[in-house]
Amino acid sequence: MNDDAELLARIRNGAPDDFAEIVRRHQGRIFAILHRYERDAHLVEDLAQETFVKAWRALDKFDGRAPFEHWLSRIAVRTAIDHLRRRQRTVAAVAFPELGEDALDWLRAEDAPSELEAGQAREVLDAAMQRLSPAERVVITLQELEGRSVKEIAALTGSSSIAIRVRATRARAKLRRALEEMKNR
């Protein structure tokens, strides 16, 4: 956006209060990105704030070759990745038996897809996603939920296209195994 370029120029030339306008313009997109990685609204707010603080601190590194929104989105994705890594180190994965029988019954049923409740599906998928590394979760989320291409994911994460394809393949295999294990319990 040209408006972003003009606003950024004003901020760099001594109008730091104008950064509030950057936040106002882009907070919806940043919240949407972060919500794909974290469901807790309070944590999403914290991650959004962390994203904007990182952007503020790195404004001098924004060179304008890509749109500001893409640069800011990349910061948000990296903030989400860091969050997932921290959480994986500190919180043990949910044990499948703790999900409860209701959440697993649909896997055992012959006509599973028709009986599957959205909440149960989300709960089971979240548990299966805990089996993935943070990098694998990010790739699957960007590819399957956001519909991004391998090239876009590579640009957002700073990884090569080959690494993205490998992570996506491994992540799908891990998810398949996790769901099969849950089904066989």
Side-chain angles (χ1 to χ4, degrees):
M1 264 190 227
N2 278 342
D3 290 340
D4 282 342
E6 293 169 14
L7 188 58
L8 290 169
R10 286 199 319 258
I11 293 167
R12 288 176 173 159
N13 290 324
D17 292 342
D18 286 349
F19 193 75
E21 178 63 16
I22 291 285
V23 172
R24 188 192 65 71
R25 286 181 185 180
H26 298 284
Q27 69 184 357
R29 175 77 177 132
I30 298 306
F31 273 77
I33 289 168
L34 295 170
H35 190 263
R36 290 183 175 109
Y37 301 96
E38 177 58 60
R39 299 292 181 201
D40 182 314
H42 296 294
L43 285 174
V44 169
E45 286 178 19
D46 291 345
L47 293 170
Q49 182 175 0
E50 184 178 340
T51 298
F52 285 113
V53 167
K54 286 178 179 180
W56 169 257
R57 290 180 179 156
L59 267 182
D60 60 327
K61 294 178 182 153
F62 176 68
D63 59 14
R65 287 185 292 169
F68 180 75
E69 182 177 350
H70 293 178
W71 182 78
L72 189 58
S73 295
R74 186 173 178 162
I75 292 172
V77 168
R78 287 189 173 174
T79 300
I81 291 169
D82 291 345
H83 167 69
L84 291 173
R85 286 181 180 142
R86 283 190 306 265
R87 188 169 69 185
Q88 187 172 16
R89 282 190 295 252
T90 59
V91 178
V94 174
F96 292 124
E98 291 175 19
L99 289 173
E101 284 300 310
D102 290 342
L104 299 177
D105 282 344
W106 69 272
L107 284 170
R108 297 185 184 110
E110 293 296 324
D111 55 349
S114 63
E115 292 183 5
L116 180 59
E117 294 288 328
Q120 291 171 330
R122 190 175 325 110
E123 191 175 342
V124 171
L125 182 59
D126 285 347
M129 292 283 281
Q130 292 297 318
R131 292 279 186 97
L132 304 180
S133 71
E136 291 167 335
R137 269 187 255 168
V138 166
V139 169
I140 289 296
T141 301
L142 288 170
Q143 199 170 50
E144 300 300 331
L145 300 179
E146 292 188 22
R148 295 189 185 250
S149 69
V150 170
K151 184 178 178 181
E152 289 174 310
I153 297 168
L156 283 170
T157 61
S159 297
S160 71
S161 295
I162 293 170
I164 297 303
R165 285 186 184 98
V166 168
R167 279 189 199 123
T169 300
R170 288 180 181 164
R172 284 187 190 92
K174 282 183 182 179
L175 281 174
R176 199 172 10 260
R177 283 192 303 271
L179 290 171
E180 280 300 315
E181 286 176 18
M182 292 169 69
K183 182 178 177 181
N184 293 328
R185 286 186 177 250

